[in-house]
Amino acid sequence: YTLRGWNYGSGHPNRSVHHEMERTGIRSIGKQYASCSVGTMQTLSSTVRTHNLADLGNTRFDVLVIGGGVTGAGVALDAVTRGYKVALVEKTDFASGTSSKSTKLVHGGIRYLPEFDFSLVHEALVERGLMLQNVPYLVRPVAFVLPIYEGDRHPVGMPFTTPGGIGLSFMLDIGLWLYDLLAGRRNIQRHRHLKREDVLKMAPALVQKGLKEGFVYYDGQTNDARLTMALISTAAQYGATITNYTEVT
C-alpha cells in the first residue's frame, strides 16, 4: 500500500494528506488535539505505548509504516481509515526530523509556474485550500511581498529575463494572476500590485535604494510539528498501533 507524500516547504507538493483530513473528519478530531484534550492525549500515553509495543510482537499487521514524520503519519491515517490493520514506528520522536524543520509553508508551488507544470501547481493549491478550510487552527494565510528593483533582471528568482529587463513586472503580474486562477474558489486572496511607498509600508526593512514597485500575494503557513502530531493522534484514535523510540532491525 502506498501513498504519495506531500512535502511542505521543500520539494514537490504532490498528493497530500489533506484529503484524508477531509475524508476522515480530522477537522473535529485534530481540533481536540490542538486544545490538548485528555481524551485525545490518552491515545499517545506511556501506558498505551507499552501496550502497543507488546502488540507489535504479537499482532499481524497489513501495513507497517516506518517513520513518524508528516508523510508517515498521513500514510498511517489513510490506511487505518480504509480498514487496514496499521502500525507506525518511529526510532526517535514524532516529527523530530524534516517535519519539524521545514519552511513552515503550505504553498502552491509558485516556483513551478515558470516550468509550466500547471497541473502540479493546481493540485497543490487545492490541497492548500483544503487545509485552510479543515484545520484553520493549524494553518493560516500569510502574505508575501515581492519587491522589484531597478536593474534587477531576475526579480524574486525568476529563471528567465527579457532584453534589458523590459516588461518583467508585467510578466510577474501575469504569473501571479495565473497562480490566483489555478487556486479557483479556494484562493486565499487575489494578489495586488504595490507602489514603492506601499512596499515599504508592508516591509520597512527592505533596502530602499533602487526599489521601484512590488507585488503581494498569499500562501499558507503552519506549525509543521503540530500538524504532524494532529495526524499521528488522529490515526491512533482510529485504531493504528503507534510507538516512538522503536527501531526496526
Side-chain angles (χ1 to χ4, degrees):
Y1 181 84
T2 59
L3 173 71
R4 285 197 294 155
W6 173 68
N7 190 350
Y8 49 82
S10 62
H12 290 267
N14 295 329
R15 174 169 173 78
S16 71
V17 297
H18 313 158
H19 281 307
E20 304 317 313
M21 296 179 185
E22 178 116 313
R23 185 172 62 80
T24 62
I26 192 175
R27 181 172 187 176
S28 60
I29 297 173
K31 199 163 188 176
Q32 290 178 344
Y33 171 77
S35 61
C36 296
S37 73
V38 174
T40 302
M41 296 305 292
Q42 285 178 349
T43 60
L44 299 176
S45 68
S46 59
T47 302
V48 173
R49 178 180 179 277
T50 301
H51 180 268
N52 286 349
L53 285 171
D55 276 353
L56 289 175
N58 301 323
T59 304
R60 183 178 180 85
F61 294 93
D62 301 313
V63 179
L64 172 63
V65 181
I66 302 174
V70 69
T71 300
V75 170
L77 178 57
D78 180 273
V80 74
T81 55
R82 295 177 188 272
Y84 291 96
K85 185 70 174 175
V86 177
L88 181 148
V89 295
E90 164 60 45
K91 70 176 181 179
T92 56
D93 211 348
F94 304 121
S96 60
T98 304
S99 296
S100 60
K101 301 175 180 66
S102 74
T103 60
K104 321 298 182 187
L105 297 180
V106 179
H107 62 89
I110 192 171
R111 67 178 179 271
Y112 299 113
L113 282 180
E115 300 175 12
F116 305 104
D117 199 343
F118 301 134
S119 62
L120 174 65
V121 176
H122 172 68
E123 182 181 21
L125 287 169
V126 170
E127 300 293 345
R128 182 195 70 182
L130 287 172
M131 290 196 70
L132 287 164
Q133 170 188 306
N134 295 341
V135 284
Y137 43 90
L138 292 177
V139 181
R140 65 180 182 86
V142 61
F144 287 85
V145 175
L146 306 180
I148 298 177
Y149 288 87
E150 292 180 5
D152 187 357
R153 302 186 64 181
H154 295 275
V156 297
M158 286 179 61
F160 55 84
T161 187
T162 60
I166 299 174
L168 280 179
S169 177
F170 174 75
M171 294 178 64
L172 186 58
D173 192 22
I174 294 297
L176 291 172
W177 272 113
L178 182 59
Y179 198 61
D180 291 337
L181 290 172
L182 288 171
R185 63 184 177 87
R186 299 188 185 278
N187 193 31
I188 298 172
Q189 190 172 328
R190 288 182 179 178
H191 81 282
R192 291 182 289 116
H193 176 263
L194 299 175
K195 297 180 180 178
R196 183 180 188 276
E197 54 268 29
D198 294 326
V199 172
L200 291 174
K201 285 180 182 178
M202 295 191 70
L206 281 175
V207 174
Q208 298 186 23
K209 184 178 179 180
L211 179 63
K212 294 171 51 181
E213 57 185 331
F215 293 91
V216 59
Y217 79 98
Y218 299 86
D219 258 321
Q221 187 175 48
T222 187
N223 182 317
D224 48 7
R226 286 186 65 209
L227 176 63
T228 303
M229 288 306 303
L231 293 168
I232 289 281
S233 179
T234 305
Q237 287 191 339
Y238 273 93
T241 299
I242 296 176
T243 64
N244 57 357
Y245 294 95
T246 307
E247 288 198 45
V248 177
T249 58

